[in-house]
Amino acid sequence: GVELALWCEAHADPALPGKLAAGEIITEGGAFLLELPYVSERALLELVFEVCSAGFTPVICHPERYVRGKADIAALERAKNRGALVQVNAPAVAGLNGRRERKKALAILKAGLADALASDAHSAGTGLFEVLAETDAEYGPFDIEGTLERRRR
């Protein structure tokens, strides 16, 4: 089944670890959504390492907006190896954000890198629940809560 959760995104910047430590960023069990406005792979990996070392779990949200090719897919995999999780948006999978984003979202799903699927709904009534359920059935199951729980053990 589809589980709903309300989150907001934190932008990748050098002040982020301090903001997390000060409780200024919304987290759920230490996990938070990480927005990547075109940061370098090196900066991403350093940030992931730093926040994971402090006990937080970055969930890289809608990477399909930023992935430019196989090198970026490999960078996502390296970020996951350092402790990050990856969340793909259902509208991208459904093609609602254009063919390019759909292709990138499917590449991430097919590579097995997605830990979560999000509606990216900013209001009710978006009609994305069917897309969420269909994508979960084809590429999932997506169980971010279970993933976080297993990491805590």
Side-chain angles (χ1 to χ4, degrees):
V2 175
E3 184 178 324
L4 300 179
L6 190 61
W7 292 57
C8 70
E9 299 150 350
H11 287 261
D13 70 55
L16 183 60
K19 290 178 182 177
L20 284 162
E24 296 175 20
I25 305 293
I26 295 173
T27 65
E28 179 66 38
F32 68 98
L33 292 178
L34 179 61
E35 172 90 35
L36 299 177
Y38 306 104
V39 298
S40 70
E41 178 182 346
R42 181 178 176 182
L44 168 63
L45 295 177
E46 287 174 3
L47 181 63
V48 167
F49 178 78
E50 189 172 354
V51 298
C52 288
S53 295
F56 296 97
T57 303
V59 180
I60 300 171
C61 55
H62 44 70
E64 67 276 0
R65 294 180 186 173
Y66 311 110
V67 168
R68 293 181 292 270
K70 289 182 182 180
D72 286 347
I73 294 278
L76 274 180
E77 188 168 11
R78 284 189 284 280
K80 282 189 58 123
N81 289 339
R82 289 199 176 192
L85 299 177
V86 174
Q87 173 184 287
V88 171
N89 280 350
V93 174
L96 300 178
N97 299 338
R99 286 185 294 179
R100 184 176 296 155
E101 263 190 44
R102 182 174 193 274
K103 184 178 177 182
K104 292 187 282 186
L106 290 173
I108 293 165
L109 289 169
K110 289 175 182 174
L113 296 175
D115 298 289
L117 188 66
S119 70
D120 201 31
H122 292 249
S123 63
T126 59
L128 291 171
F129 295 113
E130 294 82 8
V131 174
L132 287 166
E134 290 169 10
T135 306
D136 186 71
E138 186 171 347
Y139 295 100
F142 298 101
D143 178 18
I144 197 162
E145 291 296 327
T147 299
L148 290 170
E149 182 61 34
R150 284 188 296 282
R151 286 184 173 199
R152 286 186 207 114
R153 292 184 203 153

